[in-house]
Amino acid sequence: MLSSSKPTLGVISAEPEPIKLDWASTALLIIDMQRDFMEPGGFGETLGNDVSQLARAVKPIGVVLKAARDTGMLVIHTREGHLPDLSDAPPAKVERGAPSLRIGDPGPMGRILIRGEAGHDIIPELYPLDSEVVIDKPGKGAFYATELTDVLEKYGIENLLVCGVTTEVCVNTTVREANDRGYRCVVMSDGCASYFPEFHEMGLKMIKAQGGIFGWVADSAAVLEAMKTSTTQG
Ligand code: C5J
């Protein structure tokens, strides 16, 4: 995707150790920045969560998204949601807990967590460009029952910069899936958020513990610095 004359090698000051990435084989993967998780009246709130906890991730993601677009990096957005007939929503997911509204019920932003409804869409601040990839996923992990593997193979992607919500659920699940498939994942600490700040902290610690058992963790400033100070491969 990147022009061959551009510097493409960057070193991110990450934990547990710095990581060198070739931007040409790196994608920005933005997980589930949807109105259903981020705004009042959506899936997150029907589960009893304080959705304002997630707002802090929007700005850091926006800054890195702009830098990724400027450098021509592949950008992939995911959306968690289900078909209108709920044929891809297992009863074990739909019936769980005691939410005020269940998946598929009509809510203020349309049917809860259903593809095509307003609540299922990505928030305006991070809205995908027509040229960007959008992966619709029925599960927490972005690889389960999606075309993500095919997309990554098509573009020669080996590394993922991962951000989005929530840290301990869809971000962590996706990073674990990606790690098992051989992708290097750098998770953006301030570009992720949880309804539970302590789960956010733990979710990041789990990734970077044991020498980076699932991946690396870095903040948006470190990612931007690595992009800015990139060198030419050779
Ligand atoms: C949840 C997600 N928390 N995107 N989904 O149900 O993390």
Side-chain angles (χ1 to χ4, degrees):
M1 282 204 85
L2 303 181
S3 132
S4 56
S5 60
K6 274 191 181 170
T8 67
L9 272 187
V11 179
I12 303 180
S13 186
E15 292 182 283
E17 60 191 9
I19 176 169
K20 187 189 266 191
L21 294 182
D22 183 347
W23 306 123
S25 55
T26 301
L28 176 63
L29 180 61
I30 306 177
I31 304 288
D32 299 358
M33 292 300 286
Q34 297 162 254
R35 298 183 65 197
D36 256 327
F37 295 107
M38 304 295 298
E39 295 183 14
F43 182 57
E45 193 178 72
T46 69
L47 295 172
N49 296 308
D50 170 11
V51 295
S52 70
Q53 288 290 342
L54 305 189
R56 67 191 71 181
V58 175
K59 218 179 202 170
I61 296 176
V63 174
V64 172
L65 175 59
K66 181 179 182 315
R69 285 173 174 165
D70 288 349
T71 59
M73 188 184 291
L74 179 67
V75 177
I76 303 171
H77 305 255
T78 71
R79 298 184 296 206
E80 180 179 346
H82 298 281
L83 297 168
D85 65 3
L86 296 182
S87 57
D88 60 351
K93 179 176 182 181
V94 177
E95 292 164 0
R96 197 170 313 156
S100 56
L101 291 174
R102 292 196 184 277
I103 295 170
D105 285 349
M109 294 189 286
R111 293 179 67 202
I112 298 289
L113 220 60
I114 297 295
R115 294 184 191 178
E117 301 286 347
H120 178 262
D121 214 349
I122 291 173
I123 57 170
E125 298 94 314
L126 303 175
Y127 209 77
L129 301 178
D130 287 344
S131 57
E132 292 170 352
V133 178
V134 179
I135 301 279
D136 280 315
K137 62 187 187 63
K140 305 304 183 196
F143 288 85
Y144 169 67
T146 73
E147 69 280 27
L148 181 55
T149 300
D150 293 340
V151 170
L152 298 180
E153 282 176 5
K154 176 178 164 193
Y155 288 98
I157 298 301
E158 297 171 4
N159 320 300
L160 298 170
L161 292 176
V162 188
C163 54
V165 297
T166 61
T167 315
E168 79 281 13
V169 184
C170 291
V171 172
N172 238 274
T173 305
T174 298
V175 169
R176 290 168 195 235
E177 287 182 330
N179 176 73
D180 281 348
R181 287 163 175 78
Y183 296 99
R184 297 176 201 90
C185 293
V186 180
V187 178
M188 244 169 62
S189 52
D190 53 346
C192 296
S194 169
Y195 302 117
F196 309 93
E198 67 274 27
F199 290 176
H200 171 76
E201 289 306 320
M202 273 304 160
L204 297 176
K205 277 188 182 166
M206 287 177 188
I207 291 164
K208 68 187 177 189
Q210 304 178 71
I213 192 93
F214 303 122
W216 290 255
V217 174
D219 64 16
S220 56
V223 172
L224 290 172
E225 181 63 18
M227 285 178 170
K228 217 167 60 189
T229 55
S230 298
T231 55
T232 307
Q233 193 160 12

